[in-house]
Amino acid sequence: PPQDEPVGEERQRIKKQMNTFFHTVDKFVLLLRVYPTGHPLVENFAVSMIQQLREYFKQHDTMYVRVKATELLTEWDEPFFTRQESEREHFLWYIPSIDGLVGFEIPKSVPVKEMVKFLSAISKANSRELPIDDDTITILWDYDLQHIQIHAIENYLSADDSTLFDDMDGAEALVTIMGAVIDPD
C-alpha cells in the first residue's frame, strides 16, 4: 500500500472513530426531527459532534465516506457502519444512495453550520420530505456546500437502454428498477 495509507491497527482505529461518529450522526438526525436547524440544542449538539472528530482530524485532513444502500465504507472500501448497526428504523443513507450519492468528504475545516445543512439534507431525503421533483443530490447542490464535497452519479441507469431492459417499455423498466431499490439483495 502507499506510504500514507493506513494499515492494520491504524485502520481499525480509524474505522472505530468513524463508526462512533456516525452513531452520533444518527442521534443528531433524530434531534433534527424534533427541533429546527437554528435551535440552540441543535447547534450545541452539532458543535459537540464536530469536536468528536478532533482526534480523527489530528491525523487526517479529511474524512472520506463511500455510501452504499446498506453500509458506509472507508476510502479503502471496508465497511465501518451498517444498516444493522444503525439506531434508526431506516438506514439514513439508503435513499441518498439510491439517489446517486456515492461518497462525500468532510474536511477538517468544516464549519458547524455547513455540517448541519448537509445532515439536514440527508435527513430530508431519508424522511421523503423533498419536493416531488427533487432528490438528495439536487438539494445538496442547491445548498451550495463550500467545504463538504459530494460525489454523485447522475443518470446511472437509463430506462431507454434496451440492452439492460430487453423489450420493456419505460414504465416496466421503472417498476423493475424500483423493485431492485426496495429489495437490493
Side-chain angles (χ1 to χ4, degrees):
Q3 287 234 320
D4 59 345
E5 187 176 319
V7 293
E9 289 180 15
E10 175 67 8
R11 281 187 174 187
Q12 293 308 312
R13 187 182 63 72
I14 291 169
K15 284 172 48 176
K16 184 176 180 183
Q17 288 173 326
M18 292 173 77
N19 178 278
T20 300
F21 176 71
F22 280 90
H23 274 288
T24 304
V25 166
D26 268 3
K27 292 174 185 160
F28 181 72
V29 168
L30 288 175
L31 191 67
L32 282 175
R33 301 270 164 90
V34 178
Y35 298 99
T37 54
H39 194 280
L41 284 175
V42 170
E43 297 299 318
N44 290 338
F45 196 98
V47 167
S48 67
M49 190 168 55
I50 296 291
Q51 289 173 346
Q52 185 181 24
L53 290 175
R54 276 190 190 156
E55 197 62 35
Y56 180 89
F57 286 135
K58 282 181 182 176
Q59 302 292 319
H60 310 278
D61 291 333
T62 195
M63 177 185 283
Y64 179 80
V65 177
R66 290 197 55 225
V67 179
K68 298 287 187 176
T70 60
E71 61 190 2
L72 299 178
L73 306 173
T74 63
E75 62 187 305
W76 59 88
D77 291 332
E78 286 185 31
F80 68 86
F81 188 73
T82 66
R83 176 177 61 190
Q84 290 78 16
E85 292 178 83
S86 178
E87 298 173 23
R88 304 172 39 76
E89 60 191 56
H90 306 296
F91 188 58
L92 181 63
W93 304 95
Y94 179 74
I95 297 296
S97 173
I98 298 308
D99 285 346
L101 181 67
V102 294
F104 57 91
E105 296 176 54
I106 302 171
K108 180 188 294 192
S109 62
V110 66
V112 172
K113 290 196 183 301
E114 185 165 317
M115 180 66 85
V116 171
K117 268 177 131 175
F118 172 69
L119 293 175
S120 174
I122 299 299
S123 176
K124 284 179 183 177
N126 175 262
S127 61
R128 295 172 169 45
E129 293 177 14
L130 300 179
I132 194 79
D133 58 340
D134 270 343
D135 62 15
T136 309
I137 307 309
T138 305
I139 195 167
L140 287 170
W141 285 337
D142 287 347
Y143 280 8
D144 193 28
L145 304 174
Q146 299 297 307
H147 297 83
I148 298 174
Q149 292 183 18
I150 305 303
H151 304 277
I153 298 174
E154 287 187 82
N155 301 324
Y156 56 100
L157 275 181
S158 171
D160 297 331
D161 190 340
S162 62
T163 61
L164 286 175
F165 301 104
D166 296 324
D167 295 324
M168 294 181 198
D169 63 21
E172 292 170 324
L174 184 58
V175 168
T176 302
I177 292 167
M178 293 309 292
V181 167
I182 291 167
D183 185 9
D185 294 332

